[in-house]
Amino acid sequence: MWRLIRRRHEVEAEIAGEAAAAAAVTAPPADPDLEAAAFFDVDNTMMRGASIYHFARGLATRGMFTTSDLFKFAVGQAVFRLRGNENPEHIAVARETALAFVAGAKVDDVVRLGEEIYDEVMADRIWGGTRALAQSHLDAGQRVWLVTATPIELARVIAQRLGLTGALGTVAETRDGIYTGRLVGDLLHGPAKAEAVRALARREGLDLTRCTAYSDSANDLPMLSLVGNAMAINPDTELREHAKQVGWPIKDFRTGRKATLTALPIAAGVGAVAGGVAAGIALRRHYRPHL
């Protein structure tokens, strides 16, 4: 049975990758190097903390959900974070419930709120060092995409605000501009990120051996291992050790006490999904009466 479940997730990852690549926005640089590109994870790589959690915080300031909403789902996601990577059944449950809570919300509302909340909450949380790395690729004529489990609409807002080419993110099914609550494929996480990059490379004619990928998490090893150049940014312990073993460069832009730094990847992982759930609750409560 576990073999069938794992195969299902492999297929869903492929579907998610193809959907993310199809949804990516492309903008060629002025003096293009069309075969090379860079791919950046977002949470704790480009941005301090989890982008969807910051989005939920922005909704909280608008009185659109309570702290108890966030806490309930944070507890459940903490269990998933600790056990889900080894348990296909837990992963399946997370996938099935990931975006069910936004059913009925309008895509335009999510985009508008994403733009407002990025400017209010997220802009000051961009790592300057990572942003400079992205700019160096743009200056070299290469295209730069974000690759994140964050919903594609929010990922696009972040990419646009940073002046990047576009974004690969989790694609939610919509009908007539309204979320159905179902995903197209799987969450863009782990192997699905690599599938998205591979699909985009086929579409854009990229030479992956000339491409570069950046991440903070060992969860992104499939994506990092897919390209010719990889760099660990603010890495978790497992990624740091792997990067040392294979000779990947390591950059750490974090400051503060060691205990705080160690906790950041876990906090971001839990906060990302719990924040997304809270955000979905808020959007459903706020907008459903007007649909």
Side-chain angles (χ1 to χ4, degrees):
M1 185 178 82
W2 295 122
R3 186 174 299 174
L4 291 175
I5 293 175
R6 288 192 182 93
R7 178 53 189 159
R8 177 192 171 193
H9 288 307
E10 289 173 358
V11 172
E12 294 291 353
E14 292 173 4
I15 295 172
E18 292 286 351
V25 178
T26 60
D31 187 16
D33 179 355
L34 296 179
E35 291 188 345
F39 302 97
F40 285 81
D41 171 55
V42 174
D43 297 345
N44 264 359
T45 302
M46 181 63 74
M47 178 183 296
R48 187 169 71 253
S51 52
I52 193 67
Y53 189 77
H54 295 319
F55 181 59
R57 283 187 58 204
L59 295 178
T61 65
R62 291 159 169 78
M64 294 171 66
F65 73 93
T66 68
T67 53
S68 64
D69 291 327
L70 185 59
F71 178 76
K72 286 187 298 183
F73 290 99
V75 171
Q77 284 309 130
V79 174
F80 170 72
R81 176 74 179 186
L82 293 174
R83 299 169 57 194
N85 288 344
E86 291 78 32
N87 191 323
E89 184 177 358
H90 291 168
I91 296 173
V93 171
R95 177 195 173 277
E96 294 300 327
T97 60
L99 286 181
F101 49 80
V102 297
K106 297 178 181 178
V107 176
D108 288 346
D109 290 332
V110 173
V111 173
R112 177 178 55 80
L113 286 167
E115 292 172 342
E116 293 177 5
I117 293 170
Y118 177 88
D119 294 338
E120 295 171 7
V121 180
M122 300 182 196
D124 291 339
R125 289 173 168 78
I126 299 297
W127 297 108
T130 311
R131 178 68 187 87
L133 288 170
Q135 187 61 49
S136 70
H137 286 282
L138 294 172
D139 291 343
Q142 299 175 9
R143 288 169 289 177
V144 177
W145 280 277
L146 300 179
V147 188
T148 175
T150 294
I152 184 62
E153 291 79 13
L154 183 56
R156 282 174 178 164
V157 168
I158 298 170
Q160 289 166 1
R161 287 296 197 264
L162 293 175
L164 307 181
T165 307
L168 300 163
T170 296
V171 178
E173 183 183 81
T174 63
R175 185 175 295 117
D176 299 325
I178 296 174
Y179 291 107
T180 67
R182 293 183 292 272
L183 294 179
V184 178
D186 211 340
L187 293 167
L188 203 70
H189 175 79
K193 285 189 177 182
E195 292 294 341
V197 169
R198 188 178 286 111
L200 185 68
R202 288 195 300 266
R203 195 186 79 181
E204 298 293 323
L206 299 174
D207 179 355
L208 288 174
T209 65
R210 298 189 59 229
C211 292
T212 309
Y214 301 83
S215 178
D216 72 297
S217 173
N219 289 326
D220 288 338
L221 281 173
M223 177 180 74
L224 294 169
S225 302
L226 183 65
V227 298
N229 306 286
M231 181 179 290
I233 303 291
N234 307 326
D236 61 25
T237 301
E238 184 178 350
L239 178 58
R240 183 181 293 273
E241 290 305 311
H242 183 87
K244 289 179 180 178
Q245 291 174 9
V246 299
W248 291 343
I250 299 171
K251 295 284 187 180
D252 201 324
F253 302 118
R254 296 169 296 190
T255 58
R257 293 173 300 180
K258 183 176 180 180
T260 301
L261 302 185
T262 302
L264 274 173
I266 295 177
V270 173
V273 183
V277 173
I281 291 172
L283 289 167
R284 182 172 60 189
R285 288 177 179 171
H286 190 73
Y287 290 111
R288 181 159 288 173
H290 306 295
L291 296 178

